[in-house]
Amino acid sequence: MQYQIIKTSIMNIEELHQELQVVSKRCKGFHKEVANDSGISYVYLSRLKKPEYKLTDTEENRTLLKKIIKNYRRAVQRRIQEYQSLSSEISVIE
C-alpha cells in the first residue's frame, strides 16, 4: 500500500487537521514523543487529533499543526533508521 506525502505549506486549517488525523492514526506509539517534540502536552495532542475538535484558522494554529505533522514524520524516520541499524548489526553477527 502506498501513501502519498502531502505538502502542508499550502493547506488550510481543515486540511491540516485532516492530515494530522491521518498521520497520527498511522503512527501508533509515537504520540508522547511527538507531543514532547512539539512542545505541547500529550493531552493537548490527543484533543487536537479528534475530528470534532475545531481550531480557528490562524497562522499560529496552522504552524502548530504543520509542526506536529512534521514531528510525526520525523519520529517515523528515526524509528526506520533504528531498525535499519539493528538489521545491519544482526547481519554482521550472522
Side-chain angles (χ1 to χ4, degrees):
M1 176 177 263
Q2 293 219 6
Y3 298 109
Q4 180 181 7
I5 300 290
I6 298 172
K7 291 188 177 189
T8 59
S9 60
I10 57 172
M11 299 173 93
N12 66 35
I13 197 76
E14 292 87 14
E15 293 168 327
L16 286 167
H17 192 235
Q18 290 173 354
E19 180 69 4
L20 173 61
Q21 292 169 33
V22 169
V23 170
S24 67
K25 284 180 184 175
R26 293 183 179 152
C27 298
K28 303 283 186 200
F30 293 95
H31 309 300
K32 289 183 181 180
E33 178 182 346
V34 169
N36 187 48
D37 291 348
S38 301
I40 61 174
S41 71
Y42 174 73
V43 173
Y44 186 47
L45 176 59
S46 298
R47 191 178 311 146
L48 286 172
K49 294 185 304 180
K50 292 182 180 181
E52 62 274 5
Y53 191 78
K54 300 297 180 202
L55 286 165
T56 307
D57 193 1
T58 65
E59 186 62 35
E60 182 180 359
N61 285 338
R62 285 191 303 273
T63 300
L64 175 61
L65 292 182
K66 289 176 193 177
K67 182 179 182 180
I68 294 168
I69 292 165
K70 180 173 65 174
N71 286 333
Y72 269 111
R73 291 175 178 161
R74 284 182 178 169
V76 169
Q77 285 301 319
R78 282 194 300 265
R79 190 71 51 90
I80 289 169
Q81 289 172 352
E82 289 172 11
Y83 288 146
Q84 288 174 338
S85 175
L86 180 61
S87 177
S88 296
E89 290 173 17
I90 291 171
S91 295
V92 169
I93 295 172
E94 296 177 334

